[in-house]
Amino acid sequence: MAKWLSRAPRLAAVGAYRWVDERLGLGEVLGYARQKSVPLHKHSYWYYWGGVSLFFFLVQGVSGVLLLVYYRPGAEAYNSVREITFDLDFGWLIRSTHSWSSNLMILSVFIHMFSVFFMKAYRKPREFGWWSGLALLGLTLFLGFSGYLLPMDDLAYFATKVGLEIPRKLPVIGPAVVDMLRGGAEVSEVTIQRFFALHVVVLPFFFIFILGFHLWLVQRHGNAVPPSEEAVPESERHSIPFFPNFFAKDLAMWLIALNVLAILAALFPWQLGPQADTLTPAPAGIHPEWYFMSQFEVLKLFGRWFPGAAGEILGILFFTVGGLLWALIPLYDKSSQRAMRARTTTWLGYIVLVGLIGLTILGYFDLD
Ligand code: HEM
C-alpha cells in the first residue's frame, strides 16, 4: 500500500502527460527541442547569456503585471507608486524586483551581444540572428527608458527630461519625435500616459514578436562554434543535446540569476524620491541611467570640442554612423578565411567595448 502511494504521484503525472500528449502532440514539441545540440568547449559558458536575458525578461513580465494591479498612470502616478512602496504588503519587494531586474536584463543583453560578437556568431547563416538581436537591444533600452519615468519622482522626471535631449538632437526628425513622445513642449502627465502605453503594450508587443523570431532562428541554426574551435576536426568536437541536458544547465543559471536578483532587491530596496516639482530647476548632477551614460558623455565632449550646433550634430553623427557600422558587421566579416577582416572586427569589438565602458565611467566623473 505504502509503495503504491509513493508511486501514485508519478503514475498520475505520466497519465496526465499522456492525456495531453494524445491531444496536443507534446512529444513533437520536445522532439523539436531535442534535435538541437549545443557545442561543448572552453567558451561554452557564453551560451548561457541569451537564456539569462530571457529569464530577466520573464521576471519583468510577471513583476510588471503585479505592479499594474495598483499603478495608476497620469496625475495619480506618484501617489500610486508611493502606496505600492510604503502601504501594500510586499509592494516594495515587487517594485524593487522589477527595477533591479530591468538593470540586470540590460546588462545581460550587453554581455550576450558582445559574446556573440567575439564568437563571430553573426556570420552566415546567422545574420538575421544578429539583426533581430539588435532590434531586441533597442527595444530593451527603450523599455528601460520608458519605465524610468513612470514613478514621476524628481529623479525620474529630470532624468527623462535630460534623456530626451539625446534623441531631440537627431537632425530633421529629432524635435518632432521628441514632441510626439512628450505630448507637448515639456515632460508632463500626458508624457506619463504615453510612456505607460509604450511600456506596457506597444514595446512588449514588438519585443515578444521579434523574440519569437530570434529564438526560432537559434533553434534552426543551432549555436555557432567560436573561431578557436573551428580548427578542431569535426570528429573530435563534443556537443550535448539542448533538451534536456543544456536546458537543465540553463535552469541552473536561472537559479543563480534569481539569487542575485533576490539579494539585490531585498537588501537594496529601490528608492522613491520626493514627488517631481516641474516648476523647480533641475538639481545639480542630474544624468540619465547608466546605459545611456556613454551617449550622454559623447554629446557633452563633442559640445565642448565644437561649440554651438556643430558639436551636437557631430555627436549624433558619431553614434548614428557607429550604430550602423555595428549592424553591418555580418556583411563585412563573413568567414575565418578572410583573416584580415576577421582580425579587424575583433579589434573593433575591443575598441567598442572599452570605449563604452570608459565613456560610461567618465560620464559619472564629469557630472555638472
Ligand atoms: C532581450 C534580448 C535577447 C534575448 C532574450 C536573446 C535570447 C537568445 C537566446 C536564448 C539565444 C540562444 C542561447 C545563446 O546563444 O545565448 C540567443 C542566441 C543568439 N543571439 Fe540573442 N537574445 C537577445 C538579444 C540579442 C542581441 C542584442 C544580439 C546581438 C546583436 C543577439 C544575437 C544573437 C545571436 C547571433 C545568437 C546565435 C548565437 C549562436 O549561434 O551561438 N541577441 N539569443
Side-chain angles (χ1 to χ4, degrees), residues 67-80:
L67 288 173
L68 258 185
V69 177
Y70 289 99
Y71 179 76
R72 300 187 293 277
E76 274 292 286
Y78 180 81
N79 278 336
S80 66

Side-chain angles (χ1 to χ4, degrees), residues 36 38-39 41 44-58 105-106 108-117 119-123 126-140 143 207 211 214-215 217-219 221-226 242 246 250 254 326-327:
K36 195 185 115 180
V38 179
H41 47 74
S44 294
Y45 174 77
W46 297 109
Y47 294 137
Y48 292 121
W49 288 94
V52 172
S53 311
L54 180 61
F55 169 74
F56 286 123
F57 175 67
L58 296 177
M105 177 175 167
I106 294 172
S108 338
V109 174
F110 271 111
I111 296 177
H112 174 50
M113 178 178 75
F114 278 104
S115 60
V116 161
F117 183 90
M119 291 228 244
K120 310 261 182 203
Y122 49 73
R123 284 179 180 162
R126 296 183 178 78
E127 294 92 335
F128 281 102
W130 178 253
W131 293 323
S132 56
L134 283 181
L136 289 174
L137 171 70
L139 287 171
T140 307
L143 275 165
F207 192 97
L211 179 63
H214 193 71
L215 296 182
L217 287 174
V218 178
Q219 177 66 28
H221 299 305
N223 286 95
V225 285
F242 173 73
F246 193 79
D250 258 339
W254 287 23
W326 191 246

Side-chain angles (χ1 to χ4, degrees), residues 178-356:
V178 169
D179 279 354
M180 196 174 72
L181 278 176
R182 258 193 318 228
E186 287 298 329
V187 173
S188 67
E189 283 152 19
V190 181
T191 322
I192 302 186
Q193 194 69 42
R194 292 189 180 192
F195 274 38
F196 178 68
L198 283 172
H199 191 73
V200 305
V201 181
V202 182
L203 298 174
F205 171 81
F206 284 111
F207 192 97
I208 290 170
F209 184 70
I210 298 173
L211 179 63
F213 177 59
H214 193 71
L215 296 182
W216 174 73
L217 287 174
V218 178
Q219 177 66 28
R220 188 178 157 87
H221 299 305
N223 286 95
V225 285
S228 58
E229 293 301 306
E230 275 174 10
V232 179
E234 293 247 356
S235 56
E236 289 171 31
R237 289 187 196 166
H238 301 287
S239 63
I240 53 171
F242 173 73
F243 192 84
N245 307 49
F246 193 79
F247 184 66
K249 287 169 179 264
D250 258 339
L251 289 185
M253 262 315 263
W254 287 23
L255 199 58
I256 296 173
L258 180 64
N259 274 279
V260 172
L261 175 62
I263 289 169
L264 289 172
L267 298 188
F268 305 98
W270 207 258
Q271 297 298 303
L272 181 69
Q275 186 162 12
D277 181 352
T278 51
L279 298 175
T280 54
I286 208 79
H287 57 81
E289 283 283 77
W290 61 270
Y291 39 89
F292 290 122
M293 202 58 169
S294 55
Q295 289 98 312
F296 188 58
E297 185 56 20
V298 162
L299 285 181
K300 230 185 216 178
L301 292 177
F302 274 81
R304 276 184 209 146
W305 295 332
F306 310 95
E312 291 183 356
I313 294 171
L314 285 174
I316 286 290
L317 211 65
F318 179 80
F319 268 109
T320 318
V321 174
L324 210 64
L325 290 178
W326 191 246
L328 294 178
I329 289 287
L331 303 182
Y332 174 72
D333 176 22
K334 293 186 196 157
S335 84
S336 299
Q337 312 299 332
R338 309 180 83 159
M340 165 73 182
R341 289 186 175 204
R343 260 199 313 275
T344 315
T345 38
T346 304
W347 276 106
L348 181 84
Y350 287 130
I351 293 170
V352 172
L353 182 59
V354 173
L356 279 181

